[in-house]
Every structure is written in structure tokens, then in C-alpha cells.
Amino acid sequence: MLQIKNLHATIDGNQIINGLNLEVKPGEIHAIMGPNGSGKSSLASVLAGREEFEVTDGTVTYKGMDLLDMDPEIRAREGVFLAFQYPVEIPGVSNISFLKTALDEIREHRKQEPLSARDFLNRTREMQKLVQFDSALTNRSLNEGFSGGEKKRNEIFQMAMLDPSLAILDETDSGLDIDALRIVADGVNKLHTPEKAFIIITHYQRLLEYIVPDFVHVLSGGKIVRSGDKSLALELEEKGYDWLREEIATS
Amino acid sequence: MLAQIDVDFRTQIINDYQGVSECKICDKPEYLARIREVAFNFFQKNGFPTQKNEEWKYTPVKPYINEPFDIDKDKSQTFDPSQANYFGQHLPGYKIVLINGKLSVEHSQIPDAALCTIQPVMDVLRKPEVQERLTKSRNYRNNPFLAMNTALFTRGVFIHIPKNTQVDKPIHLIHYEVGEGKQFNISKNIIISESGSEAEIIESYYHDYNDAVSFRNSSTEILVEPNAVLDHIKLQKSDHNLRMVEHTEVEQKEDSLYNNYTFTLPGMRFVRNNLNIELDGSNIESHMYGLYLTNEDQLVDNHTLVNHKEPNCESNQLYKGILTDKSRAVFNGKVYVHSIAQKTNAFQQNNNILFSDNATIYTKPQLEIFADDVKCSHGSTIGQLDDEALFYLRARGLSKTDAQSLLVNAFAFDVTEKLRDEEIKAMLNEEIDQVMSGVIS
């Protein structure tokens, strides 16, 4: 589904992704961990198409297409979803009408009929329940005055509504208490199908207790320095990132 | 009555004044001659404002009056308003036709006399309530156009809403500014909402794009008596060749509510709105909402002055601007809270989005508070569309233009949602959509 080869990217002239390789197949859950400043969120931004990042080398192929050649909205319509680390508050834009517009765009791109008002409403109810998102929030302005946890839950709710093939969760667990974390993880597990892939970016192992990854990658200095299964996350939790740095330095 | 440019125009006006004072008002009440003389002497001495005047610092008027104008020349005999389309035409209401400031009874739908009285102002000068409005002391230093207006007006409309009356439909004033040549129109309007009454006044503007330049100098004196409610909506959209200064003085008595909505859309090359509100009683509410959406070389200036003279009142100002091309806008808001006006709530906010590197906004929100138990705030912002918000919307599948127009509408929505008149709200939202889709794509 996604092949990243030798990816290099800069922001404001600073090299932030530095020869990164990653392959994600349908149905897989990849966790990307790493210390602060290792390039985790930058990777998410590059994949979603944030314009401040400049790709200087390498390729990203998504479903056989050149992902880097697409505008952010085309990526979204092709099924790439980024759950933001810091979801933006947009006063005056209603959560639900924005979602309807987004879903219409995506369905049109996929040559699907737009959902009828009734089907849309039913889907909204179903997904709200699935991610335990308060229906009162659905009708408010987008993220305006939401608590940190509500914003993150709204990201998962949007993900559920838009039905992406590849979801990238950028530190969705940061700032969540244990209950909210469990709800978010629960939502992801329910949405996970053999066709959908997830990239879960996280600083801590905690989230991975609830979402079991197929692969764990450690990012450092803008590239993957170690890959393994879920036991790698536990090892990191125990020994800290310094352990890896030392190991890399001596190898 | 032909006038030459600027200084010459002034000289011409001075000569004209002799005419107005000597013959036209010989059958008019004595007080009128008195106020005209004061206003005229001021205008004779000071003329049109220059940028040395603090209230006109960013608003050079010279380019807009630099024309040989006719003053109040009549074309109302030949002009047929039924063929002229204006913004707000489809809105339901009593259509009151004012041609160059002059009430055309023939073309108007005057409401039943039990609901409200509408007459030419020159016919009611001897009414005590008219005299009271006209003899209020006004600050000509800050408002030289008002001095000119008071000295020379021979037109305008008087609207009187009787006690405890609810006018069933909006009173829709349509200002047709038409002339054979370059036209300078001066009108003085008076609106009195008696106690317990409720009314909505809408103002629209018409100028034929084939016609030469018209300059509209209008002043409106409003009294809102105890417990009265008055909604006042200005739909300022017309042709490039129309320029105007509209001066509005509002006096509110206790427990009254006055809502002013001023929408200025692309079109008129120069618009200056003065909105002065006196809160002369307790438990008064005043709301002032403004939205200016400017393009090309437009200059739109909103000056507000709110005077809290009694305790327990609330005033609220929200002005928003979206500027494109090389347009300019000015917002200058002043709120005074007198020392006895305790428990005052006064808010003032001005937000602007610049859509072009060549657009300019001057904004100055000011508070002067002499009471110690009040809640007051003021602020202004100038910015572009939020890139983070744009990216967020695009990352959910919205195109760049859709995302931009969604954000612009959300920005403007803050103001339009305050309208209680749903039809005007829908009309404006559609208009904003249409204007911005041209700018964005």
C-alpha cells in the first residue's frame, strides 16, 4: 500500500528526514516511536502534504501512485488520513457540515453517490457511538472550546466517518488520560479491517498496550534505526531511548 | 447651481447658501435659520476636512469631491425608479422611494398612518420633536460634512413610529442618487421610535453605472424612546460612481434597544459611516455590527462613538473587514463611560483579513472609562487566513478554494448571524459567497 524509499525532507533548510525507508501493507499496524525531535511528526506531515516541508530526495508510492505529487486534498480523497497532534479550532465552521462537505468530496472522487441526508445522519450516529463522541460536540464549531481529549476523540470520529485506507495517528495519545486513551484505542481497533493500514506515531509505549502493532520502528535522526515486533516497544520502555543511541553509536 | 472643484466648490456653496438662507427658508421656523447660520459659518471657515483633522487622518476626501458638482439638481421628474434594480430589491417591506433625498410619494408604498407616518422633512419642521432633533448640539469640528448638511439640506424624510406600535413589515428606504451631470445630494432624515414601539428600517442604494459621479451627504437623527426597539440595517452596495458620507446620530432612552447593522460590499468607491450613539438612560442595549468587504480602489471608513451616560447599560460593537485588491478601510471606535455610568458593559472588537499585499487597514479601538465598576473590552486584529486551518481542511479532502471560502464565510458569519432578519441574512451570505468565489479562484 505504501512504500517509502530513501526519503529526505527539510523544513526551513533543516534536514529533518534523512533517508527513511518503510513499507506498509494492507491490514498492518505500524508503530513509529522515537525521542523528541527524531522526525516522527515530520514524517506524518510529509505524508499528509504539509507545504512547509520540502522533499529533497526519495520516493513515496501509495497504491501505486506517486503520493508526493498529490495536493493534500487529493491524498485525503485517495484515502490517506492524518489525525493531527494539535487539531485546529475553527470558529464558525460547524463540525457536522464540514464533515458532510469532506465526505461528499471524498465520495465524489471515488465515484460514489453522495450520501443522502438520512444515510449521513445514520452513519454519524453509528460512528459517534463507536468512538463515544458526544453528539452535542458534533453540532458545535469545529474543535472550538473542546478539551484536549475531546479534540483527539473528534479526530478519531472524523477518521471513522471518512473511512480512510491509510490512517496516520500523530501522537493521538499525548495529553489523554487513561480512559480517553482506551476509548481512542478501542475506536481504532473497531475500525481496523484487513484492507486498512495504520501508522501510529507515539512517544510512549502506553498506547500500544491497547493497539497491538505488527511492527515497531524506532526513528532517530530522521531515519529508522531499528525495527521489530511489539516486544521492541517494551524494551524501549524499559531501557529508554538512550540505550538505542548508545547501541547505534557503538555498532 | 454649478460648482467648481474643492476650494471653488466651497466658494460656490457659500454663494449658494445666500440663496438657501434668503429665499427658500423665508417661510421656515426661526430656529432653522439659527442652526443653519452656525453650521454654515463653521463650514465657511473650515471647509471640507483634510488629513490634518484627527478624525479624517486616513481618509482623504479631496479625490472624491474634486469634481464640478451640481447641488440637489432635480431629475426626479424623468427618472423611473420601477426600472432600477438595487441590492435588497426582493426583500419584503414598505418601499420608500427617495430620489436624490426627496421623498417620492407616488412611487412609495407608505404604510397605514396608524402604523407609522412618513413625510418630507421640510413639511414637518415646526413639529416640536423635529425641532428638538435638529437643535441638538453637534460636533462640526469632527464632522465637517454634517455642518454642510445642516446648513444646506432641503430634502430628507421624517419617519415617526407611534407609541406601542409594531410595524408589521420593514420600512425599506431606497436612496436613488441620479443626476443629469455630476450630482451632490444633501439630505437630512429624522426617525422617531416612540416608547414601546418596534420597527425595522432597511436602507438600500441605487446609482446607474451609466451616470456621472454622485456624492451623497446624508445625515440621520434617530430617537429611540423608552422600551422601544429599532433595527437599522444598511445594505451599502451600489455603483463605483456613487460616493457617500452617512452621518447617523442615535439617542436612546431607558430600556430601549437599538441594533445597527452596516454592510458595505464591493461597489461604491468611497463610503464614510459615522455612527454616534448616546445612551441617555439606564438599562439600554445598543448593538453595532459591521461587515465591510472591499475591492479595487474602494475606501470604506467606519467611525463609531458610543457615549455611556447612565448606569446599567450595554453596548456591543463587532466590525469585521475582508479587504482585497488595493482597497483601504478604516475603523475608528470610541467608547466613553461617564463616571456615573456604573455597571456598564461595553465591548468593541474589530477583526480584519487582508487578501492582498496592496490592501490597507487602519484600525483604532478606543475606550475612555471614568467609572470604576464596569466591564469593558476592546481589541482589533489584522491577519491573513490561518494556514493551519487551511491545511487542516484540505487534509480532510476539501479543495483549497473550498477551504478558503469556508474560512472566509466563517469569519463573516460572526456578523451576519447577528441579523434577526433571516431573509437579509440569507441574501448577504449568498452575496459574500459570490464575491469571495471571484477573489479566491
Side-chain angles (χ1 to χ4, degrees):
Chain A
M1 177 181 286
L2 183 76
Q3 289 99 28
I4 304 175
K5 283 185 187 149
N6 192 32
L7 185 67
H8 288 72
T10 60
I11 182 162
D12 300 330
N14 298 317
Q15 192 78 40
I16 192 110
I17 303 287
N18 200 7
L20 188 141
N21 296 291
L22 179 68
E23 172 151 19
V24 179
K25 294 201 177 80
E28 291 178 350
I29 298 178
H30 290 247
I32 294 185
M33 303 182 71
N36 290 328
S38 59
K40 302 189 301 284
S41 286
S42 298
L43 175 63
S45 294
V46 171
L47 292 179
R50 203 184 273 274
E51 280 161 355
E52 301 92 282
F53 289 84
E54 194 191 341
V55 174
T56 51
D57 200 6
T59 58
V60 180
T61 311
Y62 169 73
K63 292 181 175 173
M65 300 172 285
D66 181 0
L67 186 76
L68 300 176
D69 200 33
M70 300 177 194
D71 282 335
E73 57 268 32
I74 305 299
R75 299 180 196 202
R77 293 172 197 171
E78 288 289 348
V80 177
F81 181 92
L82 171 66
F84 282 61
Q85 185 178 3
Y86 304 109
V88 188
E89 293 193 17
I90 310 184
V93 172
S94 118
N95 214 358
I96 197 74
S97 67
F98 147 72
L99 255 184
K100 178 87 170 73
T101 313
L103 192 61
D104 286 349
E105 292 282 354
I106 289 170
R107 290 183 69 90
E108 193 189 327
H109 187 81
R110 295 175 190 167
K111 303 205 163 38
Q112 294 166 322
E113 289 289 308
L115 279 187
S116 70
R118 189 198 196 130
D119 290 345
F120 179 76
L121 199 68
N122 287 338
R123 188 183 169 86
T124 304
R125 287 214 189 97
E126 187 192 333
M127 295 308 167
Q128 271 170 351
K129 224 167 127 191
L130 190 76
V131 299
Q132 299 184 32
F133 188 68
D134 188 345
S135 61
L137 297 177
T138 317
N139 294 312
R140 291 235 306 257
S141 274
L142 191 47
N143 292 326
E144 191 186 17
F146 287 23
S147 72
E150 285 168 342
K151 283 180 189 168
K152 295 300 177 77
R153 232 181 292 172
N154 195 14
E155 295 293 288
I156 301 303
F157 169 59
Q158 291 179 24
M159 181 176 85
M161 290 295 289
L162 301 180
D163 193 28
S165 333
L166 173 67
I168 304 156
L169 275 58
D170 187 7
E171 301 209 18
T172 300
D173 53 337
S174 67
L176 289 189
D177 62 31
I178 198 74
D179 290 332
L181 188 75
R182 207 173 282 149
I183 292 166
V184 165
D186 217 32
V188 171
N189 288 330
K190 283 176 187 159
L191 295 169
H192 184 215
T193 66
E195 295 81 41
K196 282 189 179 30
F198 287 85
I199 296 175
I200 293 166
I201 291 168
T202 177
H203 194 74
Y204 302 103
Q205 188 266 341
R206 206 174 56 156
L207 180 65
L208 304 180
E209 286 172 20
Y210 302 99
I211 305 174
V212 181
D214 301 301
F215 302 93
V216 174
H217 311 278
V218 181
L219 208 61
S220 180
K223 57 185 171 191
I224 290 170
V225 291
R226 163 101 47 127
S227 296
D229 61 13
K230 62 181 180 182
S231 62
L232 177 60
L234 290 168
E235 208 175 342
L236 277 173
E237 184 81 354
E238 201 181 305
K239 299 183 181 169
Y241 289 112
D242 287 340
W243 153 73
L244 256 181
R245 271 192 210 124
E246 281 159 24
E247 199 167 86
I248 294 157
T250 54
S251 66
Chain B
M1 292 221 252
L2 185 72
Q4 293 303 316
I5 56 168
D6 198 19
V7 174
D8 292 345
F9 185 33
R10 205 168 117 198
T11 317
Q12 188 61 45
I13 292 164
I14 289 162
N15 294 336
D16 288 347
Y17 172 72
Q18 304 306 327
V20 174
S21 63
E22 278 160 21
C23 74
K24 286 196 186 164
I25 61 163
C26 46
D27 61 334
K28 297 298 183 285
E30 179 271 334
Y31 79 88
L32 189 68
R34 224 171 49 234
I35 60 162
R36 282 205 201 272
E37 197 182 337
V38 172
F40 187 77
N41 286 341
F42 180 89
F43 187 74
Q44 184 174 31
K45 200 165 152 229
N46 300 283
F48 291 109
T50 66
Q51 287 174 275
K52 284 185 195 132
N53 185 330
E54 187 64 25
E55 299 298 311
W56 296 81
K57 196 172 171 184
Y58 303 107
T59 308
V61 297
K62 207 170 164 179
Y64 310 106
I65 51 172
N66 215 354
E67 310 270 357
F69 283 111
D70 287 338
I71 295 183
D72 285 351
K73 202 173 163 189
D74 221 303
K75 196 195 177 185
S76 47
Q77 302 307 316
T78 55
F79 176 71
D80 179 9
S82 64
Q83 302 300 316
N85 297 328
Y86 59 89
F87 184 59
Q89 189 150 21
H90 73 276
L91 296 170
Y94 296 106
K95 305 288 182 180
I96 308 302
V97 172
L98 298 154
I99 301 171
N100 295 349
K102 191 176 181 181
L103 175 67
S104 163
V105 177
E106 177 200 346
H107 291 109
S108 298
Q109 303 154 349
I110 310 266
D112 192 275
L115 286 175
C116 108
T117 321
I118 298 178
Q119 288 166 280
V121 76
M122 298 313 273
D123 293 357
V124 293
L125 291 170
R126 287 183 192 278
K127 283 188 191 253
E129 63 267 37
V130 172
Q131 175 170 354
E132 196 200 341
R133 280 308 101 201
L134 291 178
T135 49
K136 289 272 166 190
S137 153
R138 296 294 175 226
N139 184 339
Y140 294 143
R141 174 91 23 217
N142 292 347
N143 306 293
F145 281 93
L146 182 60
M148 182 197 191
N149 183 291
T150 299
L152 297 171
F153 78 90
T154 56
R155 294 166 175 192
V157 70
F158 171 66
I159 300 175
H160 179 260
I161 299 136
K163 202 171 165 180
N164 296 328
T165 311
Q166 273 187 310
V167 184
D168 58 343
K169 284 188 287 184
I171 300 164
H172 193 161
L173 307 179
I174 304 126
H175 305 291
Y176 295 89
E177 309 295 333
V178 293
E180 313 266 352
K182 292 175 177 174
Q183 187 74 23
F184 201 103
N185 294 323
I186 299 172
S187 59
K188 176 83 79 186
N189 306 309
I190 296 176
I191 301 170
I192 295 185
S193 285
E194 277 197 1
S195 56
S197 69
E198 220 172 296
E200 176 177 334
I201 303 231
I202 306 171
E203 296 191 68
S204 285
Y205 307 82
Y206 171 83
H207 182 271
D208 189 333
Y209 68 97
N210 287 318
D211 278 2
V213 169
S214 283
F215 197 111
R216 167 178 161 77
N217 174 352
S218 162
S219 123
T220 304
E221 293 277 346
I222 299 177
L223 172 66
V224 188
E225 289 194 344
N227 274 308
V229 177
L230 183 64
D231 275 13
H232 188 187
I233 301 155
K234 294 186 181 215
L235 304 173
Q236 299 180 327
K237 175 179 152 68
S238 181
D239 173 58
H240 192 252
N241 268 347
L242 180 59
R243 300 135 188 215
M244 67 181 186
V245 175
E246 290 206 326
H247 187 97
T248 309
E249 294 275 352
V250 184
E251 183 177 327
Q252 281 186 261
K253 299 298 186 190
E254 68 269 19
D255 305 303
S256 67
L257 168 62
Y258 172 75
N259 294 313
N260 182 292
Y261 308 83
T262 301
F263 299 95
T264 314
L265 292 156
M268 282 182 248
R269 194 162 160 231
F270 169 58
V271 178
R272 162 72 176 242
N273 293 307
N274 297 321
L275 176 59
N276 299 349
I277 302 188
E278 291 251 326
L279 290 84
D280 191 19
S282 54
N283 294 310
I284 290 171
E285 249 187 82
S286 320
H287 298 276
M288 288 149 274
Y289 302 111
L291 181 70
Y292 41 96
L293 181 51
T294 59
N295 76 356
E296 294 175 7
D297 62 350
Q298 248 186 325
L299 170 57
V300 175
D301 179 346
N302 281 291
H303 266 64
T304 66
L305 177 63
V306 177
N307 213 347
H308 279 272
K309 292 164 83 176
E310 298 288 339
N312 298 308
C313 294
E314 179 174 333
S315 73
N316 180 24
Q317 294 181 62
L318 177 65
Y319 276 76
K320 289 197 159 195
I322 302 165
L323 286 79
T324 70
D325 301 332
K326 52 182 180 175
S327 61
R328 283 170 295 158
V330 180
F331 174 78
N332 187 106
K334 215 179 283 174
V335 178
Y336 287 106
V337 182
H338 291 243
S339 57
I340 67 155
Q342 300 294 0
K343 307 280 181 197
T344 288
N345 288 334
F347 309 106
Q348 187 187 57
Q349 186 69 37
N350 173 232
N351 306 109
N352 300 281
I353 293 183
L354 298 181
F355 253 88
S356 146
D357 290 343
N358 301 317
T360 313
I361 169 81
Y362 302 94
T363 170
K364 191 174 173 190
Q366 306 166 73
L367 285 177
E368 282 190 43
I369 304 169
F370 300 97
D372 53 14
D373 184 14
V374 300
K375 249 193 259 173
C376 295
S377 69
H378 65 155
S380 74
T381 62
I382 303 171
Q384 279 98 34
L385 282 187
D386 181 1
D387 282 338
E388 263 309 294
L390 266 181
F391 178 68
Y392 188 88
L393 296 174
R394 293 178 74 191
R396 295 290 176 264
L398 272 67
S399 69
K400 194 172 176 182
T401 54
D402 283 352
Q404 280 178 330
S405 83
L406 196 64
L407 291 177
V408 168
N409 284 327
F411 179 80
F413 179 73
D414 255 5
V415 177
T416 54
E417 72 159 354
K418 302 294 192 306
L419 278 162
R420 303 198 291 179
D421 188 322
E422 293 295 329
E423 272 172 274
I424 299 185
K425 192 190 292 185
M427 179 182 84
L428 280 164
N429 283 332
E430 194 180 313
E431 181 68 21
I432 294 162
D433 240 357
Q434 209 171 349
V435 172
M436 289 317 294
S437 68
V439 172
I440 289 163
S441 59

